[in-house]
Amino acid sequence: MITSEAAHRDFRLCAEALIDRPIVTATDDRPLLDRIRRHQPALQSTFGRLTGWRVQAHPEFARLVKTPARAEASHGLAWARGRTDYALLTWVLWYGEHTGGRRFTVSQIAEEIKLRSTGPGDPGLDWASRDQRLAARRVFRGLEELGVLRLQDGSVDEWADENGKRDALYSWGDAAWRLHVGIPASELERLAEGRPSSPSPAPPEGTDELRLYRTLLLNPALFRRDDPAAFRLLDAKESLARVIHNLKYLTNWELEVTPEYARVLRPPRSDDAVQTPIAVTSGLAHAVLCFCGLLRERQQAGRLVSAGSETFLIDESRIWQDLDELQKRFGAKWGKTMQQQKVSALADDVVAEMKAWGLMRDTDVPGQYLVLPTAGRLAAHYAGEAVSDDDAEDR
């Protein structure tokens, strides 16, 4: 137990960083890394007791090995934009093991990946495609941030844009050989057989209380419909008080509990604060918030198809119509690219972002989505617009 208030503030800062960041490296933040290493015993004790997670603290990096109660779209890497990014990430990590961790140039690994990814009836990756080169650039930058790769010379931007030296030299970082993911055997079998994944959430794992903390800390929200047994801990005053106490000991975050979901509320961002899980500075974020506001209006007017537990169903065609309307009204405020983007592509981006934010899910019906209760708490309002009392509370 930490008794000094100053030490406890330090401890909370470290805990929040470990929760919200995939990894903390010496290159990015040496003072924070030193703090985490100093508090590692207390951090491991608390995280181990509440979540069963393990804290790795090494001279060059630290990370919290976070195992979710169930895998969801919101657990993806922030910089990854689709399947190609994850496929390339896997190929790059494979290349590191295949070559024994030797230094490499982007052109070398690109040629090897193109060769290996080509198969019967599969043309493999095509580096003549600018989209695939940009995906590779995201992967290399992302692995640099994770401490997996170190740029030695050149620029991956020049390779992706086909100018300048058109190449970059990389070596492997300290974190490269310590990032492991436990994939269930059943999932590996599904992938090997080419079977699609189920849109329904996987059964939760661990004790009720373990799942509660894992979901609150790692997911946008804990929904009663997903895990009724874990959620019941928030119905009883004694266990609710214990959860609030433990969260306040670990972080500076508050707990919001509604009849159908619970979530942790992070304080407003400051210059030295950990990033909030929902970024609201991009044009795509504006589009998502505008769409959530429209859904909220429909919900209040009783014009959405209820799926129970404050969730609603919406079809892909309806999303297209709504975003077409919103793009015409507010596209100028989202930036030139999004203002001119095709509605079909805009809809794909908005749906993917809402899934990542924990606002929407797939259903068993193709082209149909489940809107979650958290979407009803978000909206965007621009200067000059009339704002209702309900909207003013949550914008």
Side-chain angles (χ1 to χ4, degrees):
M1 179 70 69
I2 300 174
T3 55
S4 163
E5 184 57 36
H8 200 173
R9 282 197 301 270
D10 232 24
F11 168 87
R12 285 172 172 153
L13 175 68
C14 294
E16 291 174 6
L18 288 169
I19 292 168
D20 277 351
R21 300 184 189 182
I23 196 166
V24 177
T25 65
T27 303
D28 287 339
D29 200 331
R30 168 63 76 179
L32 177 59
L33 175 61
D34 290 342
R35 286 175 177 154
I36 292 173
R37 296 186 68 202
R38 186 165 59 249
H39 288 288
Q40 195 272 343
L43 289 164
Q44 180 58 72
S45 174
T46 306
F47 277 118
R49 175 172 57 87
L50 298 180
T51 65
W53 293 340
R54 183 165 55 93
V55 177
Q56 291 181 337
H58 301 276
E60 295 302 317
F61 76 93
R63 67 185 285 251
L64 181 62
V65 184
K66 300 182 277 278
T67 304
R70 61 157 56 88
E72 295 187 5
S74 59
H75 298 150
L77 294 164
W79 48 262
R81 294 188 183 176
R83 294 180 179 179
T84 300
D85 291 41
Y86 286 105
L88 285 170
L89 171 64
T90 305
W91 278 115
V92 172
L93 297 179
W94 165 83
Y95 186 84
E97 291 211 16
H98 178 67
T99 60
R102 294 197 305 269
R103 294 195 304 175
F104 64 89
T105 64
V106 174
S107 59
Q108 286 175 332
I109 194 173
E111 185 62 30
E112 184 73 9
I113 291 174
K114 179 174 175 55
L115 177 66
R116 297 278 183 167
S117 65
T118 303
D122 185 354
L125 290 161
D126 179 14
W127 300 122
S129 165
R130 176 167 172 76
D131 286 343
Q132 294 195 6
R133 293 200 310 275
L134 293 179
R137 179 171 68 181
R138 288 193 295 272
V139 170
F140 284 110
R141 285 178 173 175
L143 289 174
E144 285 181 57
E145 293 174 3
L146 290 172
V148 172
L149 291 179
R150 288 177 175 171
L151 180 64
Q152 301 290 306
D153 189 30
S155 166
V156 70
D157 292 340
E158 292 182 353
W159 175 84
D161 296 333
E162 296 185 303
N163 60 39
K165 292 183 178 180
R166 300 192 179 192
D167 216 341
L169 176 66
Y170 279 100
S171 63
W172 296 91
D174 295 305
W177 318 116
R178 296 182 181 273
L179 299 179
H180 302 281
V181 178
I183 302 177
S186 59
E187 184 66 8
L188 291 175
E189 292 173 2
R190 181 190 67 77
L191 291 169
E193 295 171 5
R195 288 184 282 114
S197 60
S198 170
S200 302
E205 299 180 359
T207 66
D208 295 347
E209 192 156 355
L210 200 71
R211 298 196 310 274
L212 174 82
Y213 287 112
R214 285 182 176 186
T215 305
L216 287 174
L217 294 177
L218 198 54
N219 290 27
L222 167 67
F223 296 97
R224 185 186 293 275
R225 64 181 288 133
D226 289 343
D227 197 339
F231 202 95
R232 276 195 292 271
L233 293 171
L234 304 178
D235 292 332
K237 287 185 179 181
E238 184 178 339
S239 53
L240 173 60
R242 183 173 69 251
V243 170
I244 292 173
H245 171 78
N246 285 333
L247 289 175
K248 288 300 293 181
Y249 179 79
L250 183 64
T251 70
N252 288 300
W253 302 336
E254 301 289 339
L255 178 65
E256 177 190 28
V257 181
T258 75
E260 297 299 334
Y261 71 88
R263 62 177 178 170
V264 291
L265 301 176
R266 292 155 167 81
R269 179 184 175 186
S270 59
D271 290 341
D272 60 347
V274 175
Q275 293 280 352
T276 57
I278 297 179
V280 293
T281 55
S282 69
L284 180 56
H286 280 229
V288 169
L289 292 172
C290 287
F291 183 52
C292 286
L294 187 61
L295 291 175
R296 180 180 179 144
E297 292 174 7
R298 288 223 175 88
Q299 177 187 354
Q300 292 171 346
R303 293 164 55 201
L304 290 179
V305 179
S306 174
S309 303
E310 297 183 16
T311 63
F312 299 88
L313 297 173
I314 188 169
D315 289 328
E316 185 177 58
S317 59
R318 180 76 258 181
I319 296 174
W320 283 33
Q321 293 175 37
D322 290 343
L323 288 174
D324 182 48
E325 174 191 334
L326 291 170
Q327 187 182 46
K328 290 173 181 175
R329 288 174 59 193
F330 304 118
K333 301 178 186 295
W334 301 347
K336 184 177 180 180
T337 300
M338 293 198 63
Q339 184 182 17
Q340 299 176 351
Q341 190 175 15
K342 290 184 178 179
V343 173
S344 58
L346 176 60
D348 289 342
D349 289 345
V350 167
V351 167
E353 195 77 352
M354 290 184 70
K355 290 179 185 177
W357 288 9
L359 308 176
M360 180 181 284
R361 290 180 185 164
D362 291 314
T363 69
D364 293 325
V365 179
Q368 184 185 72
Y369 300 97
L370 183 73
V371 180
L372 299 169
T374 41
R377 299 302 304 271
L378 300 175
H381 300 286
Y382 297 108
E385 276 195 291
V387 180
S388 69
D389 292 339
D390 288 339
D391 286 347
E393 293 177 5
D394 298 315
R395 59 180 172 170

